[in-house]
Amino acid sequence: MLSILPAAAQMRGHGGPVRALALSHDGRLAISGSFDQSAILWGLDTGAALGVLRFHEGAVNAVAGLPDGRFASASEDGRIALWRLGRAEPEQVLDGHSGPVAGLAVSADGAALASASWDGTARVWPLAGGAPRVLEGHRGNVNAVAFLPDGRPVTAGADATVRVWPSEGASLTLATLPTALSALAVTADGEIAAAGADATLRFLRADGTVRAAVELGPQPVIALAPSPDGRRIAAATAGGTVAVVERETARVLLRLVGPGLPVWSVAWRPDGTELVTGGGDRLVRRWDARSGEPIGALAMPRPGNPLAAYHGDRGAEVFGACVACHTLTPGEETRAGPTLAGLFGRRIASLPDYRYSEPLKRMDIVWTPETVARLFEVGPARYTPGTKMPEQTIGSAADREALVRFLEKATRQP
């Protein structure tokens, strides 16, 4: 049994949910990406943050460890940054996607990095240099990417398809599943695991048929990671648990239970005895993969509910979808979006301590009850082109009015 100080079991540093997590090949270092727009490099055995990487203009949705010791981070801003330990700026930036990057994967030979994007494409980037291969075929967001052992990329998307991409030509649609897909994993023997909105983990054969399935509900599965020996799959859910599933039998061996907030990311240490997770509690956590118990002392703090004082207020209920990215009062920890404190009467993209996209800085909009309502009537992409805000609309005029009334109360400053 390892003897580890409690500080090493829970790593605190992000100001928002930990959206992505990856380990170095030797398992000693980890990189985490967050809705707070930063990535952090960690020493896992000490729990120390070795570097805070600030480059992206949006949530860091995906990270990866590269065989040469570098790390990759990818963001809502569509860019991929390659980092080396000890350097404050990216060593290289990969540009090409026109939408948020949602997933990264490294080929088995370490020669290529693949990215999945909400622009409807995936790309395969040669790490030695050169133009990427663009993979087009999905209808809608591409949410996850992986590599087969022979080097072929595999993608999964909101169109519920898993696609394998031959070395040349169009994709082979390996399978169309009953649900939008958000997570994908490939084992060393080439089996594909996919999961998403219906909270069911499915194992696919080479011909696309489902070999086995296991329900992990009720909440969607949002991240998958195969164990180093390929015998188990860790499946993280929006409900705050991680199920460790035995591949051969499709049986849940154990569940890791945290503070009840979404677990956005999960990774294995190389010997397969330990899992590392990142989630809505803004922490990176370590777990014994054999017992499901936390390593070291486990504090289970739930962040305070900023909407508790507005219980029963319909506008607060509507705002519940926004609270992960926006604070209502000054002085709270940074999240993916700018604070809404003092919102009404403020010009768009005018807070000095937030990194806005250039298109927003050029707009002439002042936030009023009317402009906020219009934003959610037509959607951010139409009303504020170039925004990093996820696309969402509120179809009910009554709900838009309730949201505006709530924001007038909640964001008013003395």
Side-chain angles (χ1 to χ4, degrees):
M1 178 67 68
L2 296 174
S3 176
I4 298 175
L5 294 175
Q10 300 170 135
M11 286 154 270
R12 183 185 300 274
H14 282 296
V18 180
R19 176 69 177 83
L21 192 63
L23 271 59
S24 61
H25 280 240
D26 62 9
R28 297 176 61 191
L29 304 177
I31 182 172
S32 57
S34 171
F35 284 96
D36 68 5
Q37 306 186 36
S38 74
I40 297 179
L41 285 171
W42 304 92
L44 281 179
D45 291 325
T46 63
L50 305 178
V52 179
L53 311 177
R54 299 190 183 279
F55 167 75
H56 293 291
E57 296 181 348
V60 179
N61 295 328
V63 292
L66 306 182
D68 62 3
R70 292 184 297 171
F71 293 90
S73 62
S75 169
E76 198 173 47
D77 63 12
R79 296 181 295 175
I80 302 165
L82 304 185
W83 304 85
R84 197 172 291 280
L85 183 64
R87 298 188 181 181
E89 297 294 328
E91 188 173 82
Q92 186 178 356
V93 178
L94 305 178
D95 273 310
H97 283 296
S98 60
V101 179
L104 292 174
V106 182
S107 62
D109 62 5
L113 178 70
S115 54
S117 173
W118 286 7
D119 65 9
T121 73
R123 292 173 187 250
V124 179
W125 308 83
L127 288 172
R133 179 187 174 195
V134 180
L135 310 178
E136 298 178 288
H138 280 281
R139 297 181 300 278
N141 297 345
V142 185
N143 291 324
V145 63
F147 281 98
L148 288 169
D150 62 10
R152 288 179 295 164
V154 185
T155 54
D159 59 3
T161 65
V162 175
R163 297 171 184 258
V164 175
W165 301 82
S167 55
E168 299 293 340
S171 69
L172 164 68
T173 303
L174 183 69
T176 300
L177 299 178
T179 188
L181 299 170
S182 54
L184 185 70
V186 173
T187 58
D189 60 3
E191 185 166 71
I192 297 170
D198 70 354
T200 299
L201 172 61
R202 294 176 174 88
F203 296 98
L204 306 179
R205 300 185 183 93
D207 62 1
T209 57
V210 176
R211 176 186 66 81
V214 55
E215 294 184 8
L216 303 175
Q219 297 294 328
V221 176
I222 49 183
L224 293 175
S227 63
D229 63 7
R231 295 180 179 178
R232 294 163 291 170
I233 298 283
T237 75
T241 64
V242 177
V244 178
V245 179
E246 185 177 58
R247 256 184 70 208
E248 183 179 359
T249 63
R251 180 171 61 94
V252 177
L253 299 175
L254 52 88
R255 292 182 189 266
L256 284 53
V257 180
L261 297 169
V263 179
W264 287 100
S265 48
V266 60
W268 295 79
R269 295 194 81 173
D271 64 3
T273 63
E274 189 175 314
L275 280 162
V276 186
T277 63
D281 59 1
R282 308 176 191 176
L283 301 180
V284 176
R285 296 178 179 271
R286 295 174 59 188
W287 305 82
D288 188 315
R290 297 159 294 191
S291 68
E293 295 297 318
I295 293 176
L298 179 64
M300 302 279 275
R302 286 184 69 100
N305 180 4
L307 305 181
Y310 302 95
H311 179 70
D313 185 318
R314 177 57 185 161
E317 293 174 4
V318 176
F319 183 76
C322 313
V323 74
C325 295
H326 297 282
T327 62
L328 295 166
T329 57
E332 295 185 68
E333 289 181 308
T334 303
R335 299 185 188 174
T339 181
L340 303 184
L343 175 67
F344 291 109
R346 188 168 78 206
R347 185 180 179 276
I348 190 173
S350 61
L351 290 177
D353 56 351
Y354 185 81
R355 297 176 69 179
Y356 296 94
S357 64
E358 290 302 322
L360 259 63
K361 294 178 183 177
R362 295 191 290 269
M363 290 180 185
D364 188 20
I365 295 174
V366 174
W367 293 121
T368 65
E370 293 74 23
T371 55
V372 170
R374 184 61 175 164
L375 171 73
F376 288 104
E377 180 182 3
V378 303
R382 287 178 58 195
Y383 193 62
T384 52
T387 183
K388 297 174 290 185
M389 184 175 176
E391 184 60 15
Q392 54 193 306
T393 59
I394 300 173
S396 165
D399 280 353
R400 292 196 299 272
E401 183 180 351
L403 174 64
V404 167
R405 287 199 307 268
F406 163 74
L407 289 173
E408 286 181 307
K409 293 181 293 186
T411 65
R412 187 181 296 123
Q413 293 185 276

